[in-house]
Amino acid sequence: MARHPNPERTIDTDPQKLKRLANKLSLHFWGKPCQIPVTWNGRLTKTMGRFLYTEQNGQRTPLKIEISKYAAHWIDREIFVAVLLHELCHYHLFIEGRPYHDHHPVFEQELRRVGAISTQRVQLPQKAYKLYCQRCGGYLGLRRRINVGHYRSICCRAPILKAETWLGEFRYDGHILKNSKVRLPE
């Protein structure tokens, strides 16, 4: 069973450094800067990053790229850069008016061109709760989210206790960046 990320591991979440890295990658691979905000998001736990845009009256506008702080605790620098490149592929294809959705052949080709990570190559552990009866200690099941104040145990009609656990483990299929173009100085 996976454990929570190492609390002693410090992640530099300086937004200016993240934006500079995104600009450096954009200039290197696409020859133009990233002109939208690139930010950290502490609430992203099931995905490592996302590209956001809006569509109003048929006009599409890119909004921002968000990178998961949670994922940054699990992945190394090379995978992190590959995730950022993945989101930049969405952005640059979007502004060029080309297909920018995951699994589209044009998008997958662009990922290979820049050495970015494809969708679902890395999996992150997810927090869950084991539920127990407060009176008899009986095991009641497992839930990802629950407000135990709203429920009682089925066995004794007693309050429910929850214990945090982790489902899954950090997995990486080893498929990315074998012949990567991503070689940034430390």
Side-chain angles (χ1 to χ4, degrees), residues 7-33:
E8 286 99 38
R9 181 174 175 195
T10 58
I11 304 298
D12 188 356
T13 56
D14 180 6
Q16 273 69 38
K17 285 185 180 178
L18 183 62
K19 179 63 177 170
R20 278 195 306 269
L21 178 59
N23 272 330
K24 184 176 184 177
L25 292 170
S26 283
L27 288 169
H28 179 75
F29 289 109
W30 290 278
K32 49 189 153 186

Side-chain angles (χ1 to χ4, degrees), residues 21-143:
L21 178 59
N23 272 330
K24 184 176 184 177
L25 292 170
S26 283
L27 288 169
H28 179 75
F29 289 109
W30 290 278
K32 49 189 153 186
C34 178
Q35 297 184 336
I36 59 173
V38 180
T39 61
W40 292 101
N41 185 334
R43 294 175 295 130
L44 291 179
T45 58
K46 294 183 181 179
T47 183
M48 295 196 295
R50 65 183 179 181
F51 165 66
L52 299 169
Y53 66 92
T54 185
E55 188 169 342
Q56 295 176 347
N57 302 326
Q59 180 70 26
R60 298 181 319 172
T61 308
L63 294 177
K64 64 181 169 179
I65 291 173
E66 294 180 335
I67 302 296
S68 169
K69 279 186 185 179
Y70 172 75
H73 284 279
W74 294 96
I75 60 179
D76 63 18
R77 180 176 165 76
E78 191 174 39
I79 296 173
F80 173 79
V81 170
V83 169
L84 183 55
L85 276 171
H86 177 103
E87 301 310 325
L88 287 168
C89 283
H90 283 299
Y91 166 69
H92 283 286
L93 289 173
F94 179 88
I95 62 174
E96 292 170 6
R98 297 170 59 202
Y100 59 92
H101 293 292
D102 286 316
H103 310 296
H104 191 282
V106 172
F107 180 73
E108 294 294 325
Q109 180 182 5
E110 186 71 1
L111 291 179
R112 285 189 297 278
R113 182 184 75 82
V114 301
I117 189 170
S118 189
T119 307
Q120 302 300 321
R121 294 289 183 197
V122 177
Q123 290 187 338
L124 302 171
Q126 300 295 315
K127 183 168 45 172
Y129 299 97
K130 289 183 178 180
L131 306 176
Y132 299 95
C133 174
Q134 187 174 6
R135 185 172 297 144
C136 70
Y139 178 69
L140 303 173
L142 187 70
R143 296 286 181 270

